[in-house]
């Protein structure tokens, strides 16, 4: 299949851009899903074509391309309700300053679509944050008005940002994910409705975040396929043993005592063949981007194996009906 296999760069933020390009090529990838702000400065990329050409030149040196930028950590700071963890995503001088963090995030997100356009891509993946994630259990008692207000806050915050995306002809693909305003099937459906199904907003399909919640990734993909603007290839394994719960038990990712963990591709419970069949049926031709997260496996080994896994599972659809040749004449 001709779909490109790319590497999401967030988990490789300790590498400079050229080292990352060299490493990705050695692991077999066709390109990168470039993370803002670790591997591309959105403001600089929006204002300086020489900078963009330098980045593209480095990729070309190693035979790589990009089909998407990623703005997860910036986007999270737009819609999230602040706590000290959010300081990790913002410039260090803004630590402990919620209003300034949000202002920085909004300003930065305004640069992202122009940066994407200058890099020659028309999709940005990312997060939007959520002011109501803490209400997910609905206790203490949570009113419908509180939930309504949370969705409205996201609409108010992101509408001007999406206007900027439209000006640059770029789409935003939200990764449906816990801590986001859309974290499962019905919250994703509601988010599209809240934005009146604005074309700007779609999804970065990632089955690993759905699987452990009990949401069937294939059904999600089938029902929202017209809004799937990008695809992450990431696996997860549910290993409930009667002790650990599905909520993680405050046990660190990777610990085998957890009730579920992210796994390197092919080592979890996601049925990728069914996902490929759905993508084939609806003609998705974009990248399959490996977001490699497995705390129990050495990452070069794992990401190399993951690239090979994607190539093996990404088969072509049939161009004929299997029974067409069965005839008397």
């Amino acid at each position: 299949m001709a779909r490109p296999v790319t590497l999401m760069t967030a988990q490789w933020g300790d590498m400079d851009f050229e080292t990352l390009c060299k490493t990705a090529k050695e692991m077999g990838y066709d390109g990168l899903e470039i993370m803002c702000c670790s591997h591309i400065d959105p403001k600089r990329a929006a204002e300086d074509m020489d900078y963009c050409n330098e980045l593209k030149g480095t990729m070309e040196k190693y035979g790589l391309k990009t089909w998407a930028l990623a703005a997860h950590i910036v986007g999270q700071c737009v819609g999230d309700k602040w706590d000290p963890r959010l300081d990790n995503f913002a410039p260090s001088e803004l630590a402990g300053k919620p209003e300034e963090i949000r202002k920085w995030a909004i300003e930065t997100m305004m640069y992202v679509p122009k940066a994407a356009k200058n890099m020659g891509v028309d999709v940005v993946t990312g997060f939007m944050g959520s002011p109501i994630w803490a209400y997910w259990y609905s206790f203490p008692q949570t009113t419908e008005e509180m939930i309504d207000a949370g969705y409205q806050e996201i609409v108010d915050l992101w509408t001007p940002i999406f206007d900027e995306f439209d000006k640059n002809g770029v789409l935003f693909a939200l990764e449906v994910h816990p801590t986001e305003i859309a974290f499962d099937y019905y919250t994703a459906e509601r988010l599209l409705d809240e934005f009146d199904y604005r074309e700007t907003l779609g999804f970065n399909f990632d089955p690993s975040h759905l699987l452990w919640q009990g949401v069937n990734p294939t059904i999600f993909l089938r029902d929202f396929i017209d809004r799937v603007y990008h695809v992450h290839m990431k696996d997860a394994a549910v290993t409930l043993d009667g002790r650990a719960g599905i909520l993680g038990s405050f046990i660190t990712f990777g610990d085998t005592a957890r009730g579920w963990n992210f796994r390197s591709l092919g080592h979890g419970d996601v049925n990728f063949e069914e996902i490929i069949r759905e993508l084939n049926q609806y003609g998705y031709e974009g990248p399959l981007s490996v977001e490699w997260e497995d705390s129990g496996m050495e990452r070069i080994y794992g990401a190399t194996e993951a690239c090979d896994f994607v190539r093996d599972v990404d088969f072509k659809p049939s161009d004929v009906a299997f029974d067409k040749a069965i005839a008397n004449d």
Side-chain angles (χ1 to χ4, degrees):
M1 193 68 182
R3 293 187 189 102
V5 183
T6 60
L7 181 68
M8 204 280 204
T9 74
Q11 292 74 22
W12 307 79
D14 56 322
M15 292 184 179
D16 65 78
F17 192 67
E18 178 151 10
T19 299
L20 176 58
C21 287
K22 181 176 183 294
T23 302
K25 185 62 177 179
E26 290 171 348
M27 292 190 294
Y29 288 90
D30 299 313
L32 303 175
E33 177 191 349
I34 307 174
M35 173 60 78
C36 309
C37 302
S38 55
H39 290 118
I40 185 170
D41 179 335
K43 183 176 186 295
R44 187 177 175 190
E47 297 177 340
D48 185 353
M49 278 302 302
D50 288 341
Y51 172 65
C52 294
N53 290 334
E54 180 183 337
L55 293 174
K56 288 188 279 189
T58 301
M59 286 190 290
E60 289 171 4
K61 178 180 176 180
Y62 295 98
L64 302 174
K65 296 181 180 180
T66 185
W67 286 264
L69 301 188
H72 292 65
I73 64 173
V74 180
Q76 188 72 21
C77 294
V78 172
D80 230 21
K81 180 172 286 187
W82 181 88
D83 68 44
R85 298 173 299 169
L86 214 59
D87 291 344
N88 294 325
F89 289 172
S92 58
E93 64 270 20
L94 302 183
K97 302 175 181 178
E99 293 183 7
E100 292 187 34
I101 288 175
R102 176 168 286 180
K103 180 181 178 182
W104 163 81
I106 292 171
E107 290 176 351
T108 302
M109 281 303 307
M110 290 290 193
Y111 289 117
V112 168
K114 183 63 180 297
K117 182 179 180 181
N118 287 348
M119 289 296 293
V121 304
D122 58 8
V123 173
V124 171
T125 64
F127 291 152
M128 298 174 74
S130 173
I132 53 174
W133 170 248
Y135 304 161
W136 70 269
Y137 189 67
S138 300
F139 184 85
Q141 294 91 332
T142 304
T143 65
E144 291 185 12
E145 288 77 13
M146 294 168 71
I147 303 303
D148 292 344
Y151 274 94
Q152 187 60 53
E153 183 175 345
I154 289 294
V155 170
D156 293 343
L157 287 168
W158 280 88
T159 292
I161 296 172
F162 287 162
D163 290 344
E164 199 66 25
F165 271 72
D166 288 345
K167 289 177 187 177
N168 288 281
V170 176
L171 300 171
F172 182 80
L174 170 66
E175 187 168 330
V176 177
H177 182 293
T179 76
E180 301 312 307
I181 191 67
F183 58 88
D184 62 8
Y185 185 103
Y186 290 112
T187 54
E189 187 176 56
R190 175 164 182 173
L191 182 65
L192 293 179
D193 185 64
E194 292 285 346
F195 277 95
D196 294 323
Y197 289 85
R198 182 173 181 163
E199 187 178 358
T200 322
L201 173 63
F203 299 127
N204 175 42
F205 172 73
D206 187 327
S208 68
H209 303 302
L210 301 170
L211 180 85
W212 68 266
Q213 296 186 67
V215 178
N216 186 313
T218 306
I219 291 174
F220 184 97
L221 181 58
R222 184 181 305 159
D223 288 358
F224 292 106
I225 190 65
D226 62 332
R227 290 291 172 148
V228 171
Y229 297 155
H230 192 265
V231 172
H232 268 186
M233 299 291 275
K234 195 167 76 175
D235 213 339
V238 178
T239 53
L240 298 175
D241 62 2
R243 296 185 183 89
I246 202 68
L247 302 184
S249 308
F250 291 121
I251 299 173
T252 304
F253 279 123
D255 192 313
T256 57
R258 279 177 57 94
W260 69 274
N261 267 304
F262 295 123
R263 292 278 183 86
S264 193
L265 287 168
H267 296 273
D269 299 322
V270 173
N271 189 330
F272 287 100
E273 178 176 333
E274 291 304 312
I275 288 170
I276 294 300
R277 288 181 182 274
E278 291 294 331
L279 293 176
N280 284 348
Q281 180 163 313
Y282 293 98
Y284 175 82
E285 297 180 352
L288 301 176
S289 189
V290 173
E291 185 179 21
W292 192 84
E293 293 183 356
D294 189 333
S295 296
M297 184 180 290
E298 195 277 323
R299 69 175 176 175
I300 297 293
Y301 172 87
T304 302
E305 182 190 55
C307 183
D308 293 337
F309 177 90
V310 177
R311 295 198 192 283
D312 288 343
V313 78
D314 186 25
F315 55 88
K316 292 182 179 181
S318 176
D319 57 1
V320 297
F322 72 88
D323 58 351
K324 187 176 182 180
I326 303 175
N328 290 326
D329 297 327

